[in-house]
Amino acid sequence: MQSVLSRVLLMALATSVICLGFLAGSAKAADDEHPLVAPPSADEVLAWIEQLSSTSYSQREQASLSLLAAGQGAIPHLQQSVESPDLEVALRSQRILSAIQTRIVLQRRAAFLEAEDPGDVAPFGWKNFQQLVGDTQMTREFFLGMHEAEPELMLAAERRREDLTSLLSTRTEVLEESSFNQRQRGVINQPISSFSLASFFFLTTLDTKRDRLVVQRITQLINYSDLRTKMSSTPQREILMLLLSKYVAKQLASENADAGTQARTLLPLALNYGIQGILPVAVDLLKQAEEGTAKLDANVITYAAITVGRFGKPEDVEILLPHIPDKRVCHTYTSGNERRQTYAGDVALVMCLHLLRQEPQRYHFDILSASSSTIYQQYTMSFVDDEHRQKSRDAWEEFRKTGVPPEPPPKPSNVEKDDKKPLQAAPIKINARQAGQ
């Protein structure tokens, strides 16, 4: 008996979509022809629900139309009748309830898109979202897409549920595992939607608990090359990039005493996506390291320096100068019998030269290779030993005193030519502590 009822239930549910569209259309027609003067009473709604089990087909249909026309007022009663032991009542109640809820969603969606001031018709979070990206037709449509792509997460945030962090963790874990498995097979047949990514960026700015594992997973996801391409080519690229910028800045700004933990992954991410808004954060990290208020490892110093070099101005050289003496290794490169190391100070010096439009090859950086995200590949900002490194520092000190660049090296460089002419800089004055003397 149970199996028969299950088959009947499944068949009924399979046709519910068709019935849903039919009933919703019929209800609208009924509303147009017989507009309600006043909402029905609870007794009327309960009577119509009881008629759903009538032996008369026409009476069941009329009761369904009446309940649809009743709209939102019938929802609480229908939510109870879907649990009815009468299969006919339960199925019809579920279809009617879905139709009413769908109609309400569509009405609110239309009102939200058309209203000059959305006010109460705006979905949850719109005020915060609007402050981040502005209020246009595109941003409103995009925000609705976020609610449709991640309804459970957006609803959890709306209700201020304590499990929002765990829901974010679970959802991002599933997507990370799915993305990894697809890449292992070499087929990306279920790409992550732009709306889902935007939801993650947005919700992590609202989530005060700030789960580091969630941040790491999101960062891992958007570091995949196919997602970088997707985010760069989508029509809503500007919205996505703005949200990503806010996301990165939010995570780094909330580091406090443990400033470098997220910076190791978020600064490279910002460089990959060309997020110029991260410059003040990088500057602040370098200043904290100089002042001793934060203990940052060589990789954080390196990426912070590259950020200043890529997005900064010539006057920002002053921020990099204190880090040139940093002898901590950030990269080791071995080719054949040759072993080269990149110090954090080497990167800081190369970025100084870049900001001043100097040719690093004149300062004994002889294997530099260009990079779209980090200006030069990190392993090429290296030396085989401290003797060669000291030659670079001596050339820099001479330029710092005289403002005259050294002569170009006799051998041709493998670095692409820069169409900018080197600056004839005035002597750079720094104190003994900055110079590491």
Side-chain angles (χ1 to χ4, degrees), residues 370-415:
S371 166
S372 59
S373 61
T374 58
I375 305 177
Y376 299 107
Q377 299 287 350
Q378 285 189 52
Y379 74 93
T380 66
M381 293 184 270
S382 60
F383 294 97
V384 293
D385 53 40
D386 284 341
E387 180 180 348
H388 288 79
R389 183 172 284 106
Q390 188 59 47
K391 290 181 180 179
S392 174
R393 299 300 191 271
D394 291 342
W396 165 250
E397 290 297 327
E398 184 64 27
F399 170 69
R400 184 168 62 89
K401 294 175 184 176
T402 65
V404 179
E407 292 296 320
K411 295 182 179 180
S413 170
N414 63 343
V415 181

mmCIF file of all heavy atoms in Angstrom, residues 370-415:
data_model
loop_
_atom_site.group_PDB
_atom_site.id
_atom_site.type_symbol
_atom_site.label_atom_id
_atom_site.label_comp_id
_atom_site.label_asym_id
_atom_site.label_seq_id
_atom_site.Cartn_x
_atom_site.Cartn_y
_atom_site.Cartn_z
ATOM 1 N N ALA A 370 59.275 39.180 -17.320
ATOM 2 C CA ALA A 370 58.063 39.958 -17.037
ATOM 3 C C ALA A 370 56.911 39.081 -16.567
ATOM 4 O O ALA A 370 56.806 37.905 -16.914
ATOM 5 C CB ALA A 370 57.650 40.741 -18.280
ATOM 6 N N SER A 371 56.030 39.670 -15.764
ATOM 7 C CA SER A 371 54.824 38.994 -15.271
ATOM 8 C C SER A 371 53.687 40.013 -15.250
ATOM 9 O O SER A 371 53.882 41.156 -14.827
ATOM 10 C CB SER A 371 55.048 38.435 -13.863
ATOM 11 O OG SER A 371 53.816 38.072 -13.263
ATOM 12 N N SER A 372 52.516 39.588 -15.697
ATOM 13 C CA SER A 372 51.383 40.516 -15.753
ATOM 14 C C SER A 372 50.867 40.882 -14.371
ATOM 15 O O SER A 372 50.337 41.974 -14.163
ATOM 16 C CB SER A 372 50.238 39.893 -16.563
ATOM 17 O OG SER A 372 49.826 38.661 -15.976
ATOM 18 N N SER A 373 51.033 39.996 -13.398
ATOM 19 C CA SER A 373 50.495 40.270 -12.066
ATOM 20 C C SER A 373 51.541 40.838 -11.110
ATOM 21 O O SER A 373 51.256 41.746 -10.331
ATOM 22 C CB SER A 373 49.884 39.001 -11.469
ATOM 23 O OG SER A 373 50.861 37.984 -11.332
ATOM 24 N N THR A 374 52.776 40.322 -11.153
ATOM 25 C CA THR A 374 53.813 40.745 -10.187
ATOM 26 C C THR A 374 54.917 41.580 -10.837
ATOM 27 O O THR A 374 55.968 41.764 -10.241
ATOM 28 C CB THR A 374 54.431 39.514 -9.502
ATOM 29 O OG1 THR A 374 54.988 38.640 -10.500
ATOM 30 C CG2 THR A 374 53.393 38.752 -8.696
ATOM 31 N N ILE A 375 54.694 42.075 -12.037
ATOM 32 C CA ILE A 375 55.640 42.898 -12.806
ATOM 33 C C ILE A 375 56.790 42.044 -13.338
ATOM 34 O O ILE A 375 57.069 42.017 -14.526
ATOM 35 C CB ILE A 375 56.190 44.090 -11.993
ATOM 36 C CG1 ILE A 375 55.021 44.920 -11.444
ATOM 37 C CG2 ILE A 375 57.106 44.953 -12.865
ATOM 38 C CD1 ILE A 375 55.451 46.085 -10.559
ATOM 39 N N TYR A 376 57.468 41.353 -12.419
ATOM 40 C CA TYR A 376 58.505 40.401 -12.809
ATOM 41 C C TYR A 376 58.263 39.094 -12.055
ATOM 42 O O TYR A 376 57.730 39.089 -10.943
ATOM 43 C CB TYR A 376 59.904 40.923 -12.465
ATOM 44 C CG TYR A 376 60.281 42.215 -13.154
ATOM 45 C CD1 TYR A 376 60.335 43.401 -12.444
ATOM 46 C CD2 TYR A 376 60.581 42.239 -14.511
ATOM 47 C CE1 TYR A 376 60.681 44.598 -13.065
ATOM 48 C CE2 TYR A 376 60.924 43.424 -15.143
ATOM 49 C CZ TYR A 376 60.968 44.601 -14.412
ATOM 50 O OH TYR A 376 61.300 45.777 -15.040
ATOM 51 N N GLN A 377 58.650 37.993 -12.675
ATOM 52 C CA GLN A 377 58.563 36.714 -11.987
ATOM 53 C C GLN A 377 59.465 36.759 -10.751
ATOM 54 O O GLN A 377 60.613 37.205 -10.828
ATOM 55 C CB GLN A 377 59.010 35.573 -12.910
ATOM 56 C CG GLN A 377 58.189 35.403 -14.163
ATOM 57 C CD GLN A 377 56.820 34.800 -13.894
ATOM 58 O OE1 GLN A 377 56.555 34.329 -12.782
ATOM 59 N NE2 GLN A 377 55.960 34.807 -14.896
ATOM 60 N N GLN A 378 58.940 36.271 -9.629
ATOM 61 C CA GLN A 378 59.702 36.392 -8.387
ATOM 62 C C GLN A 378 61.053 35.678 -8.439
ATOM 63 O O GLN A 378 62.056 36.183 -7.921
ATOM 64 C CB GLN A 378 58.875 35.835 -7.222
ATOM 65 C CG GLN A 378 57.761 36.755 -6.789
ATOM 66 C CD GLN A 378 57.126 36.280 -5.505
ATOM 67 O OE1 GLN A 378 57.814 36.022 -4.521
ATOM 68 N NE2 GLN A 378 55.819 36.132 -5.519
ATOM 69 N N TYR A 379 61.064 34.504 -9.070
ATOM 70 C CA TYR A 379 62.312 33.745 -9.057
ATOM 71 C C TYR A 379 63.401 34.443 -9.869
ATOM 72 O O TYR A 379 64.606 34.138 -9.715
ATOM 73 C CB TYR A 379 62.083 32.329 -9.587
ATOM 74 C CG TYR A 379 61.898 32.222 -11.081
ATOM 75 C CD1 TYR A 379 62.986 31.979 -11.920
ATOM 76 C CD2 TYR A 379 60.638 32.359 -11.664
ATOM 77 C CE1 TYR A 379 62.829 31.874 -13.289
ATOM 78 C CE2 TYR A 379 60.465 32.255 -13.032
ATOM 79 C CZ TYR A 379 61.562 32.017 -13.842
ATOM 80 O OH TYR A 379 61.396 31.923 -15.192
ATOM 81 N N THR A 380 63.016 35.391 -10.745
ATOM 82 C CA THR A 380 64.026 36.093 -11.549
ATOM 83 C C THR A 380 64.557 37.348 -10.852
ATOM 84 O O THR A 380 65.508 37.953 -11.334
ATOM 85 C CB THR A 380 63.457 36.478 -12.926
ATOM 86 O OG1 THR A 380 62.402 37.447 -12.757
ATOM 87 C CG2 THR A 380 62.907 35.263 -13.646
ATOM 88 N N MET A 381 63.961 37.723 -9.731
ATOM 89 C CA MET A 381 64.496 38.846 -8.941
ATOM 90 C C MET A 381 65.497 38.281 -7.934
ATOM 91 O O MET A 381 65.400 38.506 -6.729
ATOM 92 C CB MET A 381 63.348 39.582 -8.235
ATOM 93 C CG MET A 381 62.400 40.293 -9.189
ATOM 94 S SD MET A 381 61.114 41.270 -8.352
ATOM 95 C CE MET A 381 59.811 40.037 -8.192
ATOM 96 N N SER A 382 66.460 37.516 -8.426
ATOM 97 C CA SER A 382 67.311 36.707 -7.545
ATOM 98 C C SER A 382 68.790 36.870 -7.887
ATOM 99 O O SER A 382 69.153 37.435 -8.924
ATOM 100 C CB SER A 382 66.910 35.235 -7.667
ATOM 101 O OG SER A 382 67.070 34.802 -9.014
ATOM 102 N N PHE A 383 69.614 36.329 -6.996
ATOM 103 C CA PHE A 383 71.060 36.342 -7.201
ATOM 104 C C PHE A 383 71.634 34.980 -6.827
ATOM 105 O O PHE A 383 71.061 34.252 -6.010
ATOM 106 C CB PHE A 383 71.726 37.427 -6.338
ATOM 107 C CG PHE A 383 71.337 38.819 -6.724
ATOM 108 C CD1 PHE A 383 70.321 39.473 -6.033
ATOM 109 C CD2 PHE A 383 71.963 39.470 -7.771
ATOM 110 C CE1 PHE A 383 69.955 40.762 -6.376
ATOM 111 C CE2 PHE A 383 71.590 40.767 -8.123
ATOM 112 C CZ PHE A 383 70.583 41.410 -7.426
ATOM 113 N N VAL A 384 72.792 34.671 -7.427
ATOM 114 C CA VAL A 384 73.430 33.391 -7.120
ATOM 115 C C VAL A 384 74.160 33.443 -5.786
ATOM 116 O O VAL A 384 74.359 32.413 -5.140
ATOM 117 C CB VAL A 384 74.406 32.968 -8.239
ATOM 118 C CG1 VAL A 384 73.652 32.650 -9.508
ATOM 119 C CG2 VAL A 384 75.446 34.053 -8.483
ATOM 120 N N ASP A 385 74.577 34.656 -5.373
ATOM 121 C CA ASP A 385 75.277 34.784 -4.091
ATOM 122 C C ASP A 385 75.232 36.238 -3.644
ATOM 123 O O ASP A 385 74.795 37.138 -4.368
ATOM 124 C CB ASP A 385 76.721 34.288 -4.188
ATOM 125 C CG ASP A 385 77.491 34.950 -5.324
ATOM 126 O OD1 ASP A 385 77.312 36.179 -5.532
ATOM 127 O OD2 ASP A 385 78.262 34.249 -6.002
ATOM 128 N N ASP A 386 75.717 36.477 -2.437
ATOM 129 C CA ASP A 386 75.682 37.821 -1.867
ATOM 130 C C ASP A 386 76.669 38.766 -2.546
ATOM 131 O O ASP A 386 76.501 39.992 -2.480
ATOM 132 C CB ASP A 386 75.966 37.767 -0.366
ATOM 133 C CG ASP A 386 74.766 37.268 0.428
ATOM 134 O OD1 ASP A 386 73.631 37.314 -0.130
ATOM 135 O OD2 ASP A 386 74.932 36.821 1.577
ATOM 136 N N GLU A 387 77.693 38.213 -3.196
ATOM 137 C CA GLU A 387 78.642 39.076 -3.904
ATOM 138 C C GLU A 387 77.951 39.804 -5.052
ATOM 139 O O GLU A 387 78.103 41.021 -5.232
ATOM 140 C CB GLU A 387 79.816 38.243 -4.431
ATOM 141 C CG GLU A 387 80.849 39.082 -5.171
ATOM 142 C CD GLU A 387 82.002 38.237 -5.695
ATOM 143 O OE1 GLU A 387 82.115 37.056 -5.305
ATOM 144 O OE2 GLU A 387 82.797 38.768 -6.489
ATOM 145 N N HIS A 388 77.165 39.046 -5.831
ATOM 146 C CA HIS A 388 76.412 39.665 -6.922
ATOM 147 C C HIS A 388 75.323 40.590 -6.368
ATOM 148 O O HIS A 388 75.034 41.648 -6.935
ATOM 149 C CB HIS A 388 75.773 38.589 -7.802
ATOM 150 C CG HIS A 388 76.753 37.851 -8.658
ATOM 151 N ND1 HIS A 388 77.564 36.834 -8.168
ATOM 152 C CD2 HIS A 388 77.075 37.977 -9.963
ATOM 153 C CE1 HIS A 388 78.323 36.367 -9.133
ATOM 154 N NE2 HIS A 388 78.039 37.049 -10.248
ATOM 155 N N ARG A 389 74.721 40.177 -5.264
ATOM 156 C CA ARG A 389 73.683 41.002 -4.638
ATOM 157 C C ARG A 389 74.263 42.335 -4.174
ATOM 158 O O ARG A 389 73.625 43.384 -4.309
ATOM 159 C CB ARG A 389 73.060 40.236 -3.473
ATOM 160 C CG ARG A 389 71.920 40.982 -2.789
ATOM 161 C CD ARG A 389 71.218 40.116 -1.768
ATOM 162 N NE ARG A 389 70.338 39.128 -2.412
ATOM 163 C CZ ARG A 389 70.615 37.835 -2.495
ATOM 164 N NH1 ARG A 389 71.746 37.364 -1.979
ATOM 165 N NH2 ARG A 389 69.789 37.013 -3.090
ATOM 166 N N GLN A 390 75.492 42.303 -3.633
ATOM 167 C CA GLN A 390 76.113 43.530 -3.150
ATOM 168 C C GLN A 390 76.414 44.493 -4.291
ATOM 169 O O GLN A 390 76.321 45.710 -4.127
ATOM 170 C CB GLN A 390 77.410 43.196 -2.384
ATOM 171 C CG GLN A 390 78.019 44.391 -1.672
ATOM 172 C CD GLN A 390 77.057 45.015 -0.667
ATOM 173 O OE1 GLN A 390 76.425 44.323 0.129
ATOM 174 N NE2 GLN A 390 76.923 46.345 -0.722
ATOM 175 N N LYS A 391 76.759 43.959 -5.460
ATOM 176 C CA LYS A 391 76.974 44.825 -6.629
ATOM 177 C C LYS A 391 75.700 45.592 -6.951
ATOM 178 O O LYS A 391 75.736 46.779 -7.317
ATOM 179 C CB LYS A 391 77.401 43.984 -7.839
ATOM 180 C CG LYS A 391 78.797 43.400 -7.744
ATOM 181 C CD LYS A 391 79.122 42.602 -8.995
ATOM 182 C CE LYS A 391 80.530 42.002 -8.907
ATOM 183 N NZ LYS A 391 80.850 41.197 -10.127
ATOM 184 N N SER A 392 74.577 44.910 -6.809
ATOM 185 C CA SER A 392 73.293 45.563 -7.051
ATOM 186 C C SER A 392 73.054 46.682 -6.040
ATOM 187 O O SER A 392 72.637 47.786 -6.394
ATOM 188 C CB SER A 392 72.161 44.526 -6.964
ATOM 189 O OG SER A 392 70.896 45.156 -7.051
ATOM 190 N N ARG A 393 73.350 46.381 -4.772
ATOM 191 C CA ARG A 393 73.148 47.382 -3.729
ATOM 192 C C ARG A 393 74.092 48.576 -3.929
ATOM 193 O O ARG A 393 73.686 49.733 -3.710
ATOM 194 C CB ARG A 393 73.383 46.770 -2.346
ATOM 195 C CG ARG A 393 72.460 45.607 -1.971
ATOM 196 C CD ARG A 393 70.989 46.022 -1.978
ATOM 197 N NE ARG A 393 70.144 45.012 -1.379
ATOM 198 C CZ ARG A 393 69.578 44.004 -2.021
ATOM 199 N NH1 ARG A 393 69.802 43.857 -3.319
ATOM 200 N NH2 ARG A 393 68.789 43.141 -1.398
ATOM 201 N N ASP A 394 75.335 48.305 -4.346
ATOM 202 C CA ASP A 394 76.288 49.399 -4.570
ATOM 203 C C ASP A 394 75.816 50.308 -5.701
ATOM 204 O O ASP A 394 75.914 51.543 -5.602
ATOM 205 C CB ASP A 394 77.676 48.839 -4.908
ATOM 206 C CG ASP A 394 78.320 48.138 -3.709
ATOM 207 O OD1 ASP A 394 77.868 48.369 -2.574
ATOM 208 O OD2 ASP A 394 79.261 47.341 -3.930
ATOM 209 N N ALA A 395 75.288 49.715 -6.760
ATOM 210 C CA ALA A 395 74.784 50.513 -7.877
ATOM 211 C C ALA A 395 73.583 51.350 -7.444
ATOM 212 O O ALA A 395 73.434 52.512 -7.848
ATOM 213 C CB ALA A 395 74.399 49.595 -9.037
ATOM 214 N N TRP A 396 72.757 50.762 -6.610
ATOM 215 C CA TRP A 396 71.592 51.491 -6.094
ATOM 216 C C TRP A 396 72.025 52.650 -5.212
ATOM 217 O O TRP A 396 71.489 53.765 -5.314
ATOM 218 C CB TRP A 396 70.699 50.532 -5.312
ATOM 219 C CG TRP A 396 69.678 51.210 -4.434
ATOM 220 C CD1 TRP A 396 69.664 51.251 -3.079
ATOM 221 C CD2 TRP A 396 68.533 51.969 -4.863
ATOM 222 N NE1 TRP A 396 68.589 51.966 -2.625
ATOM 223 C CE2 TRP A 396 67.871 52.422 -3.708
ATOM 224 C CE3 TRP A 396 68.013 52.305 -6.106
ATOM 225 C CZ2 TRP A 396 66.718 53.191 -3.746
ATOM 226 C CZ3 TRP A 396 66.864 53.078 -6.156
ATOM 227 C CH2 TRP A 396 66.216 53.511 -5.000
ATOM 228 N N GLU A 397 73.003 52.423 -4.342
ATOM 229 C CA GLU A 397 73.477 53.479 -3.458
ATOM 230 C C GLU A 397 74.078 54.638 -4.266
ATOM 231 O O GLU A 397 73.887 55.810 -3.924
ATOM 232 C CB GLU A 397 74.520 52.922 -2.487
ATOM 233 C CG GLU A 397 73.958 51.989 -1.431
ATOM 234 C CD GLU A 397 72.977 52.694 -0.517
ATOM 235 O OE1 GLU A 397 73.153 53.904 -0.252
ATOM 236 O OE2 GLU A 397 72.016 52.034 -0.069
ATOM 237 N N GLU A 398 74.791 54.290 -5.329
ATOM 238 C CA GLU A 398 75.379 55.328 -6.170
ATOM 239 C C GLU A 398 74.283 56.157 -6.845
ATOM 240 O O GLU A 398 74.365 57.394 -6.915
ATOM 241 C CB GLU A 398 76.298 54.692 -7.222
ATOM 242 C CG GLU A 398 77.053 55.680 -8.092
ATOM 243 C CD GLU A 398 78.029 56.537 -7.290
ATOM 244 O OE1 GLU A 398 78.502 56.082 -6.221
ATOM 245 O OE2 GLU A 398 78.321 57.669 -7.734
ATOM 246 N N PHE A 399 73.284 55.477 -7.327
ATOM 247 C CA PHE A 399 72.160 56.190 -7.948
ATOM 248 C C PHE A 399 71.428 57.035 -6.906
ATOM 249 O O PHE A 399 70.993 58.166 -7.180
ATOM 250 C CB PHE A 399 71.194 55.178 -8.576
ATOM 251 C CG PHE A 399 69.898 55.788 -9.030
ATOM 252 C CD1 PHE A 399 69.851 56.655 -10.115
ATOM 253 C CD2 PHE A 399 68.709 55.514 -8.357
ATOM 254 C CE1 PHE A 399 68.641 57.217 -10.530
ATOM 255 C CE2 PHE A 399 67.509 56.065 -8.764
ATOM 256 C CZ PHE A 399 67.476 56.926 -9.851
ATOM 257 N N ARG A 400 71.307 56.516 -5.715
ATOM 258 C CA ARG A 400 70.614 57.234 -4.647
ATOM 259 C C ARG A 400 71.341 58.536 -4.290
ATOM 260 O O ARG A 400 70.706 59.546 -3.970
ATOM 261 C CB ARG A 400 70.520 56.330 -3.409
ATOM 262 C CG ARG A 400 69.750 56.913 -2.246
ATOM 263 C CD ARG A 400 69.477 55.837 -1.221
ATOM 264 N NE ARG A 400 70.696 55.290 -0.660
ATOM 265 C CZ ARG A 400 71.313 55.770 0.412
ATOM 266 N NH1 ARG A 400 70.830 56.832 1.029
ATOM 267 N NH2 ARG A 400 72.408 55.215 0.857
ATOM 268 N N LYS A 401 72.642 58.509 -4.400
ATOM 269 C CA LYS A 401 73.426 59.702 -4.055
ATOM 270 C C LYS A 401 73.472 60.708 -5.202
ATOM 271 O O LYS A 401 73.410 61.925 -4.971
ATOM 272 C CB LYS A 401 74.847 59.290 -3.681
ATOM 273 C CG LYS A 401 74.954 58.465 -2.408
ATOM 274 C CD LYS A 401 76.379 57.990 -2.188
ATOM 275 C CE LYS A 401 76.471 57.091 -0.963
ATOM 276 N NZ LYS A 401 77.849 56.551 -0.792
ATOM 277 N N THR A 402 73.615 60.204 -6.425
ATOM 278 C CA THR A 402 73.856 61.106 -7.557
ATOM 279 C C THR A 402 72.638 61.334 -8.436
ATOM 280 O O THR A 402 72.563 62.338 -9.151
ATOM 281 C CB THR A 402 74.984 60.549 -8.441
ATOM 282 O OG1 THR A 402 74.544 59.308 -9.036
ATOM 283 C CG2 THR A 402 76.243 60.286 -7.620
ATOM 284 N N GLY A 403 71.704 60.386 -8.424
ATOM 285 C CA GLY A 403 70.558 60.491 -9.316
ATOM 286 C C GLY A 403 70.876 60.093 -10.735
ATOM 287 O O GLY A 403 70.037 60.235 -11.634
ATOM 288 N N VAL A 404 72.090 59.601 -10.987
ATOM 289 C CA VAL A 404 72.509 59.195 -12.332
ATOM 290 C C VAL A 404 72.481 57.679 -12.435
ATOM 291 O O VAL A 404 73.165 56.987 -11.670
ATOM 292 C CB VAL A 404 73.935 59.706 -12.639
ATOM 293 C CG1 VAL A 404 74.362 59.249 -14.031
ATOM 294 C CG2 VAL A 404 73.990 61.217 -12.513
ATOM 295 N N PRO A 405 71.722 57.135 -13.376
ATOM 296 C CA PRO A 405 71.658 55.670 -13.520
ATOM 297 C C PRO A 405 72.997 55.108 -13.960
ATOM 298 O O PRO A 405 73.768 55.771 -14.667
ATOM 299 C CB PRO A 405 70.597 55.463 -14.613
ATOM 300 C CG PRO A 405 69.856 56.752 -14.700
ATOM 301 C CD PRO A 405 70.838 57.816 -14.318
ATOM 302 N N PRO A 406 73.313 53.892 -13.562
ATOM 303 C CA PRO A 406 74.556 53.247 -14.029
ATOM 304 C C PRO A 406 74.480 52.933 -15.510
ATOM 305 O O PRO A 406 73.411 52.947 -16.120
ATOM 306 C CB PRO A 406 74.620 51.967 -13.180
ATOM 307 C CG PRO A 406 73.233 51.719 -12.703
ATOM 308 C CD PRO A 406 72.553 53.045 -12.624
ATOM 309 N N GLU A 407 75.618 52.643 -16.077
ATOM 310 C CA GLU A 407 75.677 52.285 -17.494
ATOM 311 C C GLU A 407 74.968 50.955 -17.721
ATOM 312 O O GLU A 407 74.957 50.084 -16.837
ATOM 313 C CB GLU A 407 77.127 52.170 -17.962
ATOM 314 C CG GLU A 407 77.872 53.507 -17.995
ATOM 315 C CD GLU A 407 77.266 54.458 -19.005
ATOM 316 O OE1 GLU A 407 76.885 54.005 -20.105
ATOM 317 O OE2 GLU A 407 77.162 55.667 -18.680
ATOM 318 N N PRO A 408 74.373 50.767 -18.902
ATOM 319 C CA PRO A 408 73.701 49.489 -19.183
ATOM 320 C C PRO A 408 74.719 48.360 -19.246
ATOM 321 O O PRO A 408 75.887 48.577 -19.565
ATOM 322 C CB PRO A 408 73.041 49.723 -20.542
ATOM 323 C CG PRO A 408 73.814 50.841 -21.159
ATOM 324 C CD PRO A 408 74.263 51.708 -20.019
ATOM 325 N N PRO A 409 74.290 47.146 -18.932
ATOM 326 C CA PRO A 409 75.210 45.997 -18.968
ATOM 327 C C PRO A 409 75.628 45.706 -20.399
ATOM 328 O O PRO A 409 74.910 45.999 -21.351
ATOM 329 C CB PRO A 409 74.366 44.857 -18.389
ATOM 330 C CG PRO A 409 72.944 45.259 -18.664
ATOM 331 C CD PRO A 409 72.919 46.753 -18.562
ATOM 332 N N PRO A 410 76.792 45.110 -20.585
ATOM 333 C CA PRO A 410 77.284 44.833 -21.940
ATOM 334 C C PRO A 410 76.457 43.794 -22.671
ATOM 335 O O PRO A 410 76.331 43.844 -23.890
ATOM 336 C CB PRO A 410 78.711 44.342 -21.697
ATOM 337 C CG PRO A 410 78.708 43.837 -20.278
ATOM 338 C CD PRO A 410 77.753 44.725 -19.552
ATOM 339 N N LYS A 411 75.864 42.834 -21.925
ATOM 340 C CA LYS A 411 75.099 41.783 -22.580
ATOM 341 C C LYS A 411 73.640 42.209 -22.693
ATOM 342 O O LYS A 411 73.094 42.852 -21.804
ATOM 343 C CB LYS A 411 75.190 40.474 -21.797
ATOM 344 C CG LYS A 411 76.590 39.892 -21.765
ATOM 345 C CD LYS A 411 76.594 38.561 -21.016
ATOM 346 C CE LYS A 411 77.997 37.959 -21.005
ATOM 347 N NZ LYS A 411 78.032 36.662 -20.279
ATOM 348 N N PRO A 412 72.959 41.822 -23.789
ATOM 349 C CA PRO A 412 71.545 42.181 -23.951
ATOM 350 C C PRO A 412 70.686 41.479 -22.906
ATOM 351 O O PRO A 412 70.956 40.345 -22.516
ATOM 352 C CB PRO A 412 71.209 41.695 -25.368
ATOM 353 C CG PRO A 412 72.221 40.634 -25.650
ATOM 354 C CD PRO A 412 73.469 41.056 -24.927
ATOM 355 N N SER A 413 69.639 42.157 -22.470
ATOM 356 C CA SER A 413 68.737 41.600 -21.453
ATOM 357 C C SER A 413 67.620 40.844 -22.124
ATOM 358 O O SER A 413 67.255 41.097 -23.267
ATOM 359 C CB SER A 413 68.161 42.727 -20.587
ATOM 360 O OG SER A 413 67.131 42.238 -19.766
ATOM 361 N N ASN A 414 67.038 39.894 -21.372
ATOM 362 C CA ASN A 414 65.895 39.142 -21.891
ATOM 363 C C ASN A 414 64.570 39.758 -21.446
ATOM 364 O O ASN A 414 63.528 39.154 -21.559
ATOM 365 C CB ASN A 414 65.942 37.682 -21.434
ATOM 366 C CG ASN A 414 65.833 37.562 -19.919
ATOM 367 O OD1 ASN A 414 66.039 38.538 -19.197
ATOM 368 N ND2 ASN A 414 65.522 36.364 -19.452
ATOM 369 N N VAL A 415 64.642 40.984 -20.910
ATOM 370 C CA VAL A 415 63.437 41.650 -20.441
ATOM 371 C C VAL A 415 62.863 42.482 -21.564
ATOM 372 O O VAL A 415 63.587 43.113 -22.328
ATOM 373 C CB VAL A 415 63.743 42.553 -19.223
ATOM 374 C CG1 VAL A 415 62.483 43.237 -18.727
ATOM 375 C CG2 VAL A 415 64.371 41.737 -18.120
#
